[in-house]
């Protein structure tokens, strides 16, 4: 595990993403996990990254071999039924016009989803997402950085989106106040409408049961599982979760096996340009020529830069 000493908070760097979507993904049942993960990272990822209008594109791969302590049991709150996921995706934009450009070009991307996804559900965040604290210096991770990263998905116990959102926001603020919590980011999407399936990818399921119509997603990062469990066992978290069942009926937690960033601040990362694994190889071998502007221009345009 990395030993982190930074006290710098980088939360403000996410503020440029004014509009966001959070998409849950489930792989096709007969596609082996390694094949699925490789295709998603190195084929689908660079394709999506090149769609015009993107300001932000991050894949989070989830590990089904999780430990049993990803989120504490809270009285009156149970897990979602039949809720298995292989990942979550953030696709964000700096403006409505950028989102419109992306949406217009998306059929070429959606046609690829059926190759690996059994189900994808895109929850709309027209006012963006919120990062309360982020003490992780790397802005564009590409892999497993050794941190203990968790996602918790909450389902509302009623239809009052405002009250549910306030409840999750207060919980997130309580966690952000804990020094051992390195990152707190949360998503409060609009209620999902099965009559308007999103994304409209062919041959992929986009419907959700009623308990997943109004959800929230909380992203946490700790230095280690020990630090995570210490926070979970604290009086502060007990106080923060007291009465949570008034607004929350379901909570399911997932371990994040890797975070892969393809577009940051409207610019392709090395993973977005080359694919996640090739980018890792370039970094590991120190191939400085592969990150030069001439190579980037050639790969992005198919032409050598003019001299």
């Amino acid at each position: 595990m990395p030993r982190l000493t930074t006290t710098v908070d980088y939360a403000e760097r996410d503020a440029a993403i004014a509009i966001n979507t959070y998409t849950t993904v489930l792989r096709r049942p007969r596609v082996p996990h390694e094949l699925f993960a490789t295709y998603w990272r190195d084929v689908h990822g660079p394709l999506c990254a090149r769609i015009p209008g993107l300001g932000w594109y991050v894949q989070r791969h989830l590990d089904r071999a999780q430990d049993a302590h990803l989120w504490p049991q809270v009285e009156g709150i149970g897990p979602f039924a039949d809720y298995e996921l292989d990942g979550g995706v953030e696709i964000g934009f700096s403006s409505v016009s950028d989102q419109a450009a992306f949406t217009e070009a998306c059929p070429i991307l959606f046609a690829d989803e059926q190759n690996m996804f059994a189900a994808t559900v895109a929850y709309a965040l027209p006012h963006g997402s919120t990062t309360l604290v982020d003490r992780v210096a790397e802005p564009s991770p590409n892999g497993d950085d050794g941190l203990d990263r968790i996602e918790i998905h909450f389902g509302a116990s009623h239809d009052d989106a405002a009250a549910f959102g306030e409840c999750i926001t207060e919980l997130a603020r309580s966690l952000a106040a804990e020094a051992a919590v390195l990152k707190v980011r949360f998503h409060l999407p609009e209620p999902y409408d099965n009559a308007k399936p999103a994304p409209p990818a062919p041959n992929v399921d986009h419907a959700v049961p009623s308990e997943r119509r109004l959800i929230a997603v909380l992203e946490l990062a700790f230095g280690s599982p020990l630090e995570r469990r210490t926070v979970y066992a604290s009086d502060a978290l007990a106080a923060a979760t007291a009465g949570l069942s008034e607004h929350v009926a379901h909570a399911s937690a997932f371990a994040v096996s890797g975070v892969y960033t393809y577009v940051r601040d409207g610019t392709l990362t090395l993973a977005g340009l080359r694919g996640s694994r090739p980018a890792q190889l370039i970094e590991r071998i120190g191939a400085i020529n592969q990150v030069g502007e001439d190579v980037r221009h050639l790969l992005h345009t198919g032409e050598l830069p003019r001299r």
Side-chain angles (χ1 to χ4, degrees):
M1 296 292 178
R3 184 174 295 276
L4 301 174
T5 58
T6 180
T7 57
V8 179
D9 185 355
Y10 300 93
E12 283 299 317
R13 66 187 173 195
D14 296 340
I17 303 305
I19 303 164
N20 204 14
T21 61
Y22 180 89
T23 302
T24 59
V25 305
L26 177 69
R27 75 176 187 268
R28 297 185 71 86
R30 297 183 68 85
V31 176
H33 182 269
E34 185 60 29
L35 178 60
F36 157 80
T38 301
Y39 190 93
W40 189 19
R41 285 172 59 182
D42 296 329
V43 179
H44 188 79
L47 174 63
C48 181
R50 285 165 169 77
I51 304 294
L54 263 182
W56 170 247
Y57 172 36
V58 179
Q59 295 178 3
R60 288 192 192 86
H61 291 224
L62 304 180
D63 187 352
R64 293 196 184 191
Q66 327 171 355
D67 69 49
H69 306 282
L70 300 179
W71 181 248
Q73 287 188 332
V74 178
E75 186 176 356
I77 300 175
F80 289 103
D82 302 318
Y83 195 41
E84 292 282 0
L85 293 177
D86 291 290
V89 183
E90 284 190 60
I91 291 180
F93 311 92
S94 60
S95 68
V96 172
S97 59
D98 283 348
Q99 185 180 33
F102 178 85
T103 300
E104 183 178 0
C106 262
I108 194 172
L109 175 68
F110 294 155
D112 189 53
E113 287 202 358
Q114 60 193 310
N115 291 321
M116 58 187 161
F117 294 140
T120 58
V121 178
Y123 291 90
L125 292 144
H127 304 294
S129 301
T130 302
T131 303
L132 292 179
V133 64
D134 187 356
R135 300 188 182 96
V136 183
E138 173 55 57
S140 303
N142 178 37
D144 178 3
D145 57 7
L147 297 178
D148 181 56
R149 294 180 179 269
I150 308 295
E151 280 195 2
I152 307 102
H153 294 212
F154 299 98
S157 60
H158 49 64
D159 294 327
D160 188 340
F164 176 63
E166 289 175 8
C167 171
I168 299 301
T169 299
E170 286 305 309
L171 174 62
R173 287 173 177 161
S174 296
L175 284 159
E178 296 298 308
V181 183
L182 301 178
K183 183 173 183 180
V184 177
R185 179 168 169 81
F186 65 95
H187 314 283
L188 296 173
E190 292 184 329
Y192 186 81
D193 185 355
N194 282 329
K196 299 176 181 178
N203 304 313
V204 179
D205 186 13
H206 306 299
V208 301
S210 59
E211 63 265 24
R212 300 209 315 260
R213 190 183 71 87
L214 179 56
I215 70 162
V217 178
L218 182 61
E219 176 193 345
L220 303 177
F222 303 86
S224 70
L226 182 61
E227 292 183 6
R228 181 213 327 150
R229 292 196 65 190
T230 300
V231 171
Y232 286 178
S234 68
D235 292 340
L237 190 68
T241 55
L244 196 64
S245 60
E246 180 181 351
H247 300 287
V248 176
H250 303 284
S252 291
F254 303 89
V256 178
S257 60
V259 179
Y260 307 93
T261 310
Y262 295 83
V263 178
R264 177 83 184 184
D265 297 327
T267 301
L268 284 171
T269 65
L270 187 59
L273 182 68
R274 304 297 294 270
S276 172
R277 283 174 173 81
Q280 289 177 335
L281 289 172
I282 290 166
E283 183 175 350
R284 287 183 65 184
I285 207 166
I288 191 171
N289 62 296
Q290 292 281 357
V291 298
E293 187 55 38
D294 54 345
V295 173
R296 186 180 185 89
H297 187 275
L298 174 63
L299 289 167
H300 195 43
T301 68
E303 299 178 354
L304 289 169
R306 294 182 180 180
R307 299 188 182 277

